[in-house]
Amino acid sequence: MELQFLGTGAGVPSKERNVTSIALNLLDELGVYWLFDCGESTQHQILRTPVKLSKTNKIFITHLHGDHIYGLPGLLSSRSYQGGVTPLTVYGPAGIAVFIRQALAISGSHLNYDLCIEEITSEGILVEEQGFVVEARRLEHRGECFGYRITEPDQTGTLLVDKLQHEGIKPGPIYSQIKQGGAVELPDGRTIQGEDYVGKSIPGRVVAIMGDTKPCQAAIELARDAHVLVHEATFASSHHEHANDFGHSTSAQAAQIAETANVRTLIVTHISSRYQGEDVDVLLSEAQAIHKDTYAAADFWTFRL
C-alpha cells in the first residue's frame, strides 16, 4: 500500500505544485489504484508516475471546487485510450454526476468502459471490497465536503513455528494448512486446531484522507488511530484567521487533529501557492512542534505504509 501524491497545491497550480490529487496504490492488495480528487492536469501528472489509468477503478471526490474536479473529464476520456476497459466508479457530493455527464456529452467524449457515478447522500460506509472498507464523513468547508477513511482487513497472525516443532510437527505443506485454521489431521494421526498455532491477527492499516476543512470533530473521528492521516495545511499559523474564514486549516491545526486522533504519521498537503521553496519549512516545523512524525507532501512524492 502506497500513497502517490500527484498534486499538492491549493486553489491554483504553481510552478512547484499542481492542484490536488492523490493515488492510493493497492496493486499488491487488490490489483488496482484508487484516486482521491482530480484537479486540473492530473492526467499529465500521472504520466510522470507508475500510476496506470487502466488499473484505476475508483475515484473519490471530496468536494466540487475546481481545483479538485477540473481534471476529471479529460482523465475519464483518456482512460479509454490507455487500455481502460474495466468499470470505473466515481464517488462524490451531489452535483458530481451532472458535472461529469455534461462535460462528456458536450465534448462528444466516448468511453470504452462502464462509468458509474455514485453521489454521496449520507455519511457512512461507501465501499466494502475484499475486506477493504471506505467510510465517508462530512467535513467543515465552504459547501459540502467529505473526508474518507480507508481500512484494510486484518491479516492472519504469524505461524507459531517454535510451538509446532516443540510438539514434533515438522515443516512442510502441513504448515500452510495449519495457518488456515480449523481442524488439521497430522501424518501421525493426531488432529489439532490450526488457530492454536497461529499468533494474534495483525490489524489492517488505516489511511485517512481529508478534503478541504477547518478543524472539526468529523476529521478526528475519521483519523482515529490511523496509520497515516493526509490533511490539508493551506496556511501557516500567522494566517489562521484567513484559514478559518475560508474553511481551511493551518499546519498546526492539522497537527493537533493528528495528536488528538492518535495518528501515527501525518502528511500535510493542499499548500497555498504563497509558500514556495523553503517557505514550506515554516508549515512543516509548526506541525512537527505538535506532532513529530509529520511530512510535507510534494508533487510526485510517495509514502509507503
Side-chain angles (χ1 to χ4, degrees):
M1 187 186 294
E2 185 177 75
L3 289 163
Q4 172 80 64
F5 289 86
L6 303 169
T8 57
V12 296
S14 68
K15 291 182 178 180
E16 293 185 5
R17 299 176 185 274
N18 196 50
V19 285
T20 300
S21 186
I22 304 167
L24 179 60
N25 182 341
L26 295 172
L27 288 179
D28 291 342
E29 295 79 13
L30 300 176
V32 297
Y33 292 95
W34 289 353
L35 200 63
F36 292 81
D37 283 328
C38 188
E40 179 184 355
S41 292
T42 292
Q43 64 171 315
H44 291 268
Q45 300 288 93
I46 285 175
L47 293 174
R48 298 175 61 184
T49 73
V51 176
K52 302 295 184 184
L53 286 182
S54 60
K55 291 184 177 294
T56 301
N57 73 340
K58 288 179 174 55
I59 301 175
F60 298 88
I61 300 299
T62 60
H63 63 297
L64 303 185
H65 285 167
D67 57 322
H68 295 255
I69 66 168
Y70 282 167
L72 265 175
L75 181 143
L76 293 174
S77 179
S78 292
R79 185 174 186 264
S80 288
Y81 297 101
Q82 296 181 23
V85 295
T86 55
L88 182 146
T89 303
V90 178
Y91 303 85
I96 190 65
V98 171
F99 171 75
I100 293 174
R101 298 293 187 197
Q102 289 193 350
L104 294 178
I106 291 171
S107 62
S109 299
H110 174 72
L111 307 183
N112 295 330
Y113 57 89
D114 292 332
L115 174 64
C116 177
I117 304 172
E118 294 195 13
E119 295 192 336
I120 306 171
T121 57
S122 61
E123 298 179 311
I125 294 175
L126 295 179
V127 174
E128 293 182 271
E129 181 174 321
Q130 296 183 41
F132 277 80
V133 176
V134 181
E135 176 188 358
R137 288 189 182 232
R138 288 185 174 87
L139 303 175
E140 295 186 15
H141 189 48
R142 297 175 298 132
E144 191 165 58
C145 183
F146 290 94
Y148 298 103
R149 177 183 176 93
I150 306 96
T151 304
E152 179 186 40
D154 293 346
Q155 304 298 309
T156 303
T158 57
L159 195 64
L160 303 178
V161 175
D162 289 345
K163 183 178 180 180
L164 288 166
Q165 293 182 347
H166 178 74
E167 296 187 14
I169 305 172
K170 297 180 179 180
I174 195 73
Y175 274 21
S176 297
Q177 297 178 41
I178 294 171
K179 190 167 184 179
Q180 292 174 16
V184 179
E185 184 176 349
L186 302 177
D188 61 10
R190 287 182 292 162
T191 298
I192 63 172
Q193 296 299 316
E195 53 267 27
D196 294 337
Y197 298 85
V198 177
K200 292 183 179 180
S201 61
I202 303 169
R205 293 164 289 185
V206 176
V207 179
I209 298 177
M210 301 300 118
D212 294 4
T213 185
K214 56 172 72 171
C216 64
Q217 187 62 32
I220 295 172
E221 294 306 318
L222 283 172
R224 184 76 64 191
D225 298 323
H227 291 75
V228 177
L229 166 63
V230 180
H231 198 290
E232 72 132 285
T234 311
F235 299 106
S237 295
S238 58
H239 291 89
H240 71 277
E241 291 184 1
H242 188 65
N244 183 74
D245 290 344
F246 287 90
H248 289 296
S249 298
T250 66
S251 57
Q253 289 172 329
Q256 189 58 60
I257 294 290
E259 277 292 293
T260 304
N262 192 38
V263 167
R264 181 180 300 177
T265 299
L266 169 66
I267 301 175
V268 294
T269 187
H270 198 267
I271 295 168
S272 169
S273 59
R274 72 179 62 199
Y275 303 102
Q276 298 289 315
E278 295 181 357
D279 294 341
V280 177
D281 293 342
V282 174
L283 301 177
L284 184 59
S285 62
E286 288 184 351
Q288 288 177 335
I290 299 170
H291 188 82
K292 186 176 181 180
D293 191 5
T294 298
Y295 299 87
D299 287 18
F300 310 115
W301 181 67
T302 60
F303 181 87
R304 187 162 187 83
L305 280 76

